[in-house]
Amino acid sequence: DIQMTQSPSTLSASVGDRVTITCRASQSISSWLAWYQQKPGKAPKLLIYKASSLESGVPSRFSGSGSGTEFTLTISSLQPDDFATYYCQQYNGYSLTFGGGTKVEIK
Amino acid sequence: QLQLQESGPGLVKPSETLSLTCTVSGGSISSRNYYWVWIRQPPGKGLEWIGSIFYSGTTYYNPSLKSRVTISVDTPKNQFSLKLSSVTAADTAVYYCARRIAVAGIIDDWGQGTLVTVSS
C-alpha cells in the first residue's frame, strides 16, 4: 500500500501569508496527486489534480507542484476563506490514499 | 448537476452490519467514465478510502477493510451500496459516497456525508 505523509499537521498563519504544505508518498506516484480543502461539517472540495493542475473555479492563489514522492500545495496570499483543513490524495492505480491532513488556523 | 445522497441508519450496534445506500441523481451510474466510491472520516480525524465500484460491478477495496466490506451497484435504481460487517466503535464515522473520474483518479463530486455511530 502507498502511504501519504503530510506536514505540518497544524499550521498557524495570518491573512496575507504565503503558506506551504508538504505531502510525501511512500513510493513514486508520478504526478497522480490531488489536493482537497475541507471545512467543518462539509465534504472535501477538489483544488488541484495531477499535482499541479488547478480545478476550474479555484482561485489562482492556490498552486501545486512536485512529482514522484514529494509534493507541495502553496497558497500565495492566505485569505479568510482559506482557513480549513487540507488533504493530499494519491490515485496511482485503483486504490486511493489520503494524507493525514493539515489544519490551517488563524494566528 | 450531479447529486449524491447517502441514506441508512445513523446508529448501529457493535458486531452488527452497517448498511448505507447512495442515490445518484443528475447523472447515470452506468457511465464508463466513473467509479463510485465510499470514503469515511471518524470524528476529528482524516479521510479513509473504503472502496470503489464500477457500473459493471467490479470492486476494489481498502486492504485494511477488505474482509468486512461489500460494495454493490444497482444500475436500474442508480444506486450503490456499502455493507460493513462486525462493526466496532472504531467504525463510528461520517460516511461519504462520491464519484471518482476513472482515468484521472480524482474525486470530483461528493455526497454531504452521513454520521454512523456504533454503540449499544
Side-chain angles (χ1 to χ4, degrees):
Chain A
D1 295 357
I2 299 174
Q3 307 302 318
M4 305 301 293
T5 304
Q6 263 183 260
S7 61
S9 55
T10 306
L11 188 160
S12 296
S14 301
V15 173
D17 284 353
R18 181 181 180 88
V19 166
T20 299
I21 298 168
T22 298
C23 183
R24 289 188 174 87
S26 59
Q27 64 188 72
S28 177
I29 56 171
S30 184
S31 296
W32 300 115
L33 185 100
W35 290 96
Y36 299 85
Q37 177 194 67
Q38 187 180 33
K39 295 184 177 178
K42 300 293 187 182
K45 171 190 170 186
L46 178 66
L47 299 175
I48 302 282
Y49 61 95
K50 211 170 180 184
S52 60
S53 296
L54 193 67
E55 173 71 348
S56 176
V58 174
S60 59
R61 63 182 179 271
F62 290 92
S63 64
S65 65
S67 67
T69 61
E70 290 240 359
F71 302 87
T72 59
L73 172 70
T74 299
I75 309 172
S76 60
S77 178
L78 198 65
Q79 298 302 300
D81 191 47
D82 301 338
F83 291 96
T85 300
Y86 294 84
Y87 294 93
C88 62
Q89 176 233 316
Q90 69 82 20
Y91 47 97
N92 186 32
Y94 295 112
S95 71
L96 307 175
T97 315
F98 292 90
T102 297
K103 185 174 182 180
V104 177
E105 297 181 328
I106 301 173
K107 193 171 186 179
Chain B
Q1 178 75 7
L2 188 81
Q3 289 191 320
L4 300 101
Q5 179 67 57
E6 305 89 352
S7 59
L11 181 64
V12 181
K13 289 182 168 55
S15 79
E16 294 190 345
T17 296
L18 178 159
S19 296
L20 294 173
T21 296
C22 182
T23 300
V24 179
S25 57
S28 173
I29 205 167
S30 298
S31 170
R32 294 171 181 260
N33 297 321
Y34 303 106
Y35 287 95
W36 305 95
V37 179
W38 286 99
I39 289 164
R40 70 180 183 178
Q41 185 171 37
K45 296 188 178 180
L47 300 161
E48 181 180 35
W49 171 69
I50 300 170
S52 306
I53 190 164
F54 199 50
Y55 78 97
S56 61
T58 302
T59 52
Y60 305 93
Y61 297 136
N62 185 324
S64 68
L65 298 169
K66 188 174 183 177
S67 63
R68 299 194 292 131
V69 173
T70 303
I71 297 176
S72 59
V73 65
D74 186 335
T75 50
K77 291 185 177 179
N78 230 33
Q79 294 176 333
F80 62 107
S81 298
L82 168 70
K83 290 189 185 301
L84 180 65
S85 64
S86 304
V87 297
T88 69
D91 295 308
T92 293
V94 174
Y95 286 76
Y96 292 101
C97 62
R99 184 179 77 172
R100 170 190 162 161
I101 298 176
V103 174
I106 54 177
I107 298 170
D108 67 339
D109 257 301
W110 299 69
Q112 65 184 23
T114 187
L115 174 63
V116 179
T117 302
V118 179
S119 174
S120 54

